[in-house]
Amino acid sequence: MTAATTLKTWYWLHKWSSLVCTVFLLVICITGLPLVFHDEIDQWLDNAKPYAVVPADAPVASIDPMVAKARKLYPGQVINFVFADDDAPQVLVGMAPSFAQATTDSHTLKFDAHTGELLKDGRPGERYTFMGIMLALHMDLYAGLPGELFLGLMGLLFVIAIVSGVMLYGPFMKKLAFGTVRAGRSRRLKWLDLHNLLGAVTLGWGLVVGVTGVINELSTPMFTYWQKTDVAQLLAAYKNAEPPAVLTSPQAALETAMRALPEQSFVSVAFPGNPFGVPHHYIIWSKGSTPLRSHLFTAALVDAGTGQLTAVARPPWYLAALELSRPLHFGDYGGMPLKVIWALLDLLTIVVLASGLYLWFARRRATDARVAALARQAAIVAPIPAKAS
């Protein structure tokens, strides 16, 4: 393959991968901007009761009364999960009309982690709050798993566009110093230089966010595959058993799991029937205490009928990659300075995407204008003869 052919191939890849994904990437970048600051925005918009003032070493409350309170408030609904927050002394109880609707119509009740007091009744409809809308558009466009897979494909095209753009940058810009913007030339040429410059500046960040975004969009099939392979092997004895009619205490199940994982800290409990759970067991998720292991989770499977520990399931490499990709995707591991940097790079990427669309439309207009000019010139040179009378 000649150099010219290779260059044309990279140009074709860059052109079409960019055109197909740009509009959807703009939606992802615009919705991702507030999600970078989701903790701060949630606190700002939060109208819950304040947390109780307690000593630093105050014990956490049992989750059983919180679950009982949630069931009393919404007797016709199911408990989806219980989540313990690291960043605030709160416990979230997730509910849904049914497990089949758990990924689309869930809502959460917020409890004080130390006193067990209900701080906020998160009534149904959370998916249509400002942050709920931003998250849904960013994750699946309100289309569930098909939306997740579609946005994953758009993320993959974004990565291809970045790589192909890198391969084109050198040959097209080899006669110019890095960062040159020919402001004195045409508007299209100036925007082309800016597009190339900002693309180079955001190159590393774009690859990180693009690759981790693709991984995140595959979370549902990843968990489903893990459940049907590794977890299914661990629970083979329960394959033909009926799910328990009465669930044992989730607090007791939690304590059983944490005794088996003494160096871990509690993260969440997935209830039996949860879309990311199993029919007969609580799945108690925990994490390590070191900076790296705090992003790696371990699952303990506790029989929901007897309260006995069945197995400890350490997720495979692909789920570890998923968990490590999440904080990288949102810049959620370096405090406010990194969040600000993430937001600035997000804004620059929006400019890159918008300028790419402008360049494509400007090129088409220029091409159409040249074709029209050539047609007019041909008509003047060789006019159509008049019909004989």
Side-chain angles (χ1 to χ4, degrees):
M1 186 180 291
T2 64
T5 303
T6 302
L7 198 61
K8 287 181 180 179
T9 301
W10 284 119
Y11 176 78
W12 185 90
L13 283 172
H14 186 70
K15 174 184 175 181
W16 289 109
S17 61
S18 301
L19 284 175
V20 171
C21 76
T22 291
V23 172
F24 300 101
L25 258 295
L26 280 171
V27 172
I28 290 173
C29 287
I30 292 169
T31 57
L33 198 56
L35 291 175
V36 172
F37 303 102
H38 67 94
D39 290 330
E40 291 76 16
I41 294 175
D42 285 341
Q43 291 176 13
W44 177 51
L45 297 176
D46 194 2
N47 58 358
K49 297 178 183 178
Y51 303 114
V53 179
V54 297
D57 58 349
V60 296
S62 168
I63 65 174
D64 283 351
M66 305 179 200
V67 169
K69 178 70 172 178
R71 285 193 171 123
K72 184 177 179 180
L73 287 172
Y74 297 94
Q77 299 198 3
V78 297
I79 302 291
N80 195 20
F81 63 84
V82 175
F83 173 76
D85 198 337
D86 273 349
D87 300 322
Q90 64 182 14
V91 173
L92 304 177
V93 177
M95 305 195 72
S98 67
F99 288 122
Q101 297 171 275
T103 57
T104 57
D105 295 321
S106 61
H107 60 105
T108 56
L109 283 69
K110 177 179 176 180
F111 293 86
D112 190 296
H114 294 112
T115 67
E117 179 187 7
L118 178 63
L119 301 179
K120 183 177 181 180
D121 181 0
R123 292 180 174 84
E126 289 178 343
R127 194 167 167 86
Y128 300 98
T129 62
F130 171 72
M131 291 305 292
I133 291 171
M134 293 298 102
L135 182 60
L137 289 175
H138 192 82
M139 290 182 60
D140 60 14
L141 299 175
Y142 281 101
L145 179 58
E148 292 177 12
L149 297 178
F150 177 77
L151 289 182
L153 175 61
M154 295 303 101
L156 182 60
L157 290 176
F158 178 53
V159 172
I160 294 173
I162 292 173
V163 173
S164 57
V166 171
M167 302 305 296
L168 291 171
Y169 185 82
F172 278 101
M173 299 295 289
K174 62 184 178 181
K175 295 182 180 180
L176 298 172
F178 176 78
T180 298
V181 177
R182 292 166 285 184
R185 303 286 293 276
S186 67
R187 178 186 297 179
R188 189 172 73 86
L189 198 58
K190 179 179 70 175
W191 274 107
L192 176 61
D193 290 343
L194 282 172
H195 178 82
N196 291 333
L197 173 60
L198 295 179
V201 170
T202 59
L203 169 64
W205 179 85
L207 280 174
V208 169
V209 172
V211 172
T212 55
V214 172
I215 295 173
N216 287 337
E217 295 293 3
L218 295 175
S219 61
T220 298
M222 282 182 180
F223 270 103
T224 301
Y225 179 75
W226 176 66
Q227 288 172 315
K228 291 183 177 180
T229 53
D230 295 3
V231 175
Q233 291 178 8
L234 293 173
L235 303 179
Y238 293 83
K239 183 176 181 180
N240 298 317
E242 288 292 327
V246 178
L247 302 182
T248 189
S249 158
Q251 178 66 29
L254 166 60
E255 293 171 358
T256 298
M258 298 318 297
R259 283 195 295 271
L261 299 165
E263 297 182 358
Q264 302 271 316
S265 60
F266 164 59
V267 176
S268 67
V269 178
F271 275 57
N274 179 304
F276 296 105
V278 289
H280 308 89
H281 289 71
Y282 292 111
I283 300 183
I284 289 86
W285 290 96
S286 62
K287 65 179 181 179
S289 55
T290 65
L292 176 61
R293 292 189 177 278
S294 65
H295 298 295
L296 296 174
F297 299 93
T298 301
L301 303 168
V302 178
D303 190 308
T306 66
Q308 299 298 310
L309 179 70
T310 299
V312 172
R314 301 191 182 276
W317 65 269
Y318 52 87
L319 288 186
L322 171 65
E323 299 303 338
L324 289 173
S325 72
R326 283 175 172 166
L328 276 175
H329 187 70
F330 291 106
D332 197 17
Y333 61 91
M336 183 55 70
L338 190 63
K339 289 186 177 185
V340 171
I341 292 172
W342 240 239
L344 291 174
L345 289 169
D346 190 314
L347 288 170
L348 290 178
T349 302
I350 290 173
V351 175
V352 172
L353 294 170
S355 62
L357 279 179
Y358 164 75
L359 290 169
W360 184 73
F361 282 115
R363 186 185 181 103
R364 282 186 62 88
R365 285 199 301 269
T367 301
D368 291 344
R370 284 198 300 271
V371 171
L374 289 173
R376 287 194 299 270
Q377 183 179 4
I380 293 171
V381 172
I384 299 175
K387 291 183 180 180
S389 55

